[in-house]
Amino acid sequence: MSGPLVLPVRDILRAPGEMREFELTVPVAEKWGEGLAWVPAGEDVHVDARLESVHEGILVTAEISTTYDGQCSRCLTDLTRSLEVEFQELFGYSGDEATDFEVQDDHVDLETGVRDAIVLSLPFQPVCQPDCPGLDPSTGEKLTEAPVTETQIDPRWTALAALSAPPTDHDGEASRPAADDTEKS
């Protein structure tokens, strides 16, 4: 068993309480992720892993950091952002209960778990900035500020608009309640 994220555990197998720490920096062999965000091939993934022997197997806890590329989902601008993910998984001993991950040949292979943790953490709709106005629907050009939408009143409702206006007196000025018209306590 070999690979950049395959770690030996022979010295802590079936020795509950024993622990080993590893610090790895591994380039991604192929692109991870699809859609608007992905980790490109060749990008470095930094993994700080702690392997602890427990009765059921080897408990792996890792902090992962890398950089992903993508496109803004609103304006399609290219972007590059950093990503930090935590990962924890139990690698069970073979022959015991069925588990998703197993200790094989005195090694644990972190690649599947690390890749899954990173890909599931990638944003589904990344944006270049939180208030990105996007593209102009008529020209396709990037907007520099949020579009101002002018609300047009349906002509069938114009008669009701007069009812929402403040009341006016005979001179056309808005009337105000006189001081005597207010409630006294």
Side-chain angles (χ1 to χ4, degrees):
M1 189 171 207
S2 64
L5 291 171
V6 175
L7 303 177
V9 293
R10 178 182 304 262
D11 58 333
I12 61 172
L13 278 179
R14 302 195 191 276
E18 290 293 319
M19 179 185 75
R20 297 292 176 264
E21 292 183 343
F22 294 89
E23 190 172 315
L24 308 165
T25 300
V26 178
V28 173
E30 59 187 25
K31 177 179 151 182
W32 288 353
E34 295 294 329
L36 295 176
W38 61 89
V39 177
E43 185 66 40
D44 283 340
V45 174
H46 184 73
V47 180
D48 286 328
R50 184 175 66 231
L51 282 64
E52 300 174 73
S53 181
V54 296
H55 291 288
E56 298 83 13
I58 304 295
L59 179 65
V60 177
T61 305
E63 293 178 1
I64 307 161
S65 60
T66 189
T67 303
Y68 70 89
D69 291 340
Q71 288 183 326
C72 176
S73 62
R74 295 181 189 161
C75 67
L76 303 177
T77 301
D78 292 336
L79 52 94
T80 300
R81 299 280 192 275
S82 61
L83 179 70
E84 293 183 3
V85 183
E86 292 183 0
F87 164 76
Q88 186 172 45
E89 192 63 53
L90 176 66
F91 286 74
Y93 294 124
S94 58
D96 292 348
E97 296 178 21
T99 61
D100 291 336
F101 299 98
E102 289 187 351
V103 176
Q104 296 177 352
D105 299 328
D106 301 334
H107 292 80
V108 292
D109 187 1
L110 304 181
E111 183 174 354
T112 302
V114 168
R115 181 184 63 235
D116 290 351
I118 289 173
V119 171
L120 291 173
S121 298
L122 292 173
F124 183 66
Q125 294 182 329
V127 290
C128 58
Q129 57 190 15
D131 59 345
C132 175
L135 299 174
D136 185 323
S138 58
T139 64
E141 296 293 320
K142 184 176 178 180
L143 295 172
T144 55
E145 54 187 52
V148 177
T149 58
E150 193 173 307
T151 57
Q152 303 245 344
I153 298 176
D154 189 324
R156 295 173 288 182
W157 297 98
T158 53
L160 291 176
L163 294 175
S164 66
T168 58
D169 60 10
H170 65 335
D171 294 332
E173 292 188 24
S175 61
R176 293 189 183 143
D180 294 335
D181 295 342
T182 59
E183 184 178 324
K184 297 179 182 177
S185 50

